[in-house]
Amino acid sequence: VQLQASGGGLVQAGDSLRLSCVASGRPFGAYAWFRQAPGKEREFVAASTWRGEKKEYADSVKGRFRISRDNRDNTMYLQMNSLKPEDTAVYYCSARADWAPRSNFWPYWGQGTLVTVSS
């Protein structure tokens, strides 16, 4: 099982950015994005069932971020709009077999990709 995240970068407040995560190795029941800001604990950002029928977002990103997946190549996305400096963090994609979006245990992780939002 491999998850490969990419798409981070330096943007200005108000800009948009799309993160990608390519999944390989086995089918999953759900996938998610988490983030960890400097000096803070990792936090949940968004999750979706593999087929997309259920989605959940952290209150801090609701209405600005959108989680999705491309069925053609098992690439997961996090579209981030109206970015704020407080969105600055290392973002991680993750996956699990079942739907438990707020679980503390996600068995599969990609490497992080850094998003920096300047004011």
Side-chain angles (χ1 to χ4, degrees):
V1 175
Q2 285 192 327
L3 300 176
Q4 185 75 27
S6 62
L10 172 63
V11 297
Q12 293 186 333
D15 284 352
S16 296
L17 199 61
R18 189 177 75 165
L19 305 182
S20 301
C21 179
V22 179
S24 62
R26 59 168 290 172
F28 300 107
Y31 61 101
W33 290 91
F34 290 78
R35 68 185 181 187
Q36 187 166 19
K40 295 186 178 181
E41 294 186 352
R42 186 179 65 198
E43 64 174 358
F44 169 83
V45 175
S48 174
T49 51
W50 196 246
R51 293 188 177 92
E53 68 269 28
K54 296 180 182 179
K55 297 186 179 183
E56 189 162 323
Y57 295 90
D59 288 343
S60 58
V61 306
K62 202 172 292 183
R64 299 188 298 122
F65 290 13
R66 185 170 67 90
I67 189 171
S68 64
R69 185 176 70 87
D70 188 331
N71 292 330
R72 295 171 296 178
D73 58 6
N74 281 347
T75 300
M76 304 175 283
Y77 300 103
L78 184 67
Q79 177 67 42
M80 305 185 293
N81 300 324
S82 302
L83 282 162
K84 304 175 181 180
E86 51 263 44
D87 295 318
T88 294
V90 177
Y91 284 72
Y92 299 88
C93 57
S94 60
R96 56 182 293 134
D98 58 344
W99 176 242
R102 301 298 182 137
S103 170
N104 290 324
F105 178 69
W106 285 72
Y108 306 109
W109 291 88
Q111 89 292 359
T113 185
L114 176 63
V115 174
T116 303
V117 184
S118 64
S119 57

